[in-house]
């Protein structure tokens, strides 16, 4: 299912910034999970960070960032 939105460039930049902050949290959580030898959490947090990065890339492409 695709969702169509009409956003200003500023709104897209806000979303990109929010995604960046969220992704950083998952990267840190991945490091902690590695330190605790929790492989399941490492996998989950890594996947979340990768999905956020992919979405962030799509948004950046829209505004030429």
């Amino acid at each position: 299912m695709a969702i169509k939105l009409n956003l200003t460039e500023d709104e897209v930049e806000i979303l990109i910034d929010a995604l960046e902050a969220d992704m950083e949290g998952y990267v840190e959580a991945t490091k902690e999970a590695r330190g605790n030898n929790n492989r399941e959490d490492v996998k989950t947090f890594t996947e979340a960070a990768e999905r956020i990065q992919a979405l962030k890339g799509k948004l950046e492409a829209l505004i030429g960032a």
Side-chain angles (χ1 to χ4, degrees):
M1 175 170 97
I3 298 173
K4 297 194 183 265
L5 297 172
N6 290 319
L7 302 170
T8 66
E9 189 170 321
D10 286 344
E11 290 169 330
V12 173
E13 288 175 0
I14 290 168
L15 289 173
I16 290 169
D17 289 345
L19 288 169
E20 180 72 32
D22 197 33
M23 188 176 64
E24 288 173 6
Y26 280 109
V27 169
E28 287 302 314
T30 300
K31 290 177 186 177
E32 289 180 25
R34 275 194 189 110
N36 294 330
N37 290 324
N38 189 335
R39 292 176 195 221
E40 188 173 319
D41 281 351
V42 169
K43 180 180 175 185
T44 299
F45 297 148
T46 299
E47 181 181 322
E50 289 170 350
R51 292 180 72 184
I52 291 168
Q53 178 64 42
L55 177 56
K56 186 173 155 285
K58 286 181 181 181
L59 292 173
E60 289 171 334
L62 290 174
I63 60 170

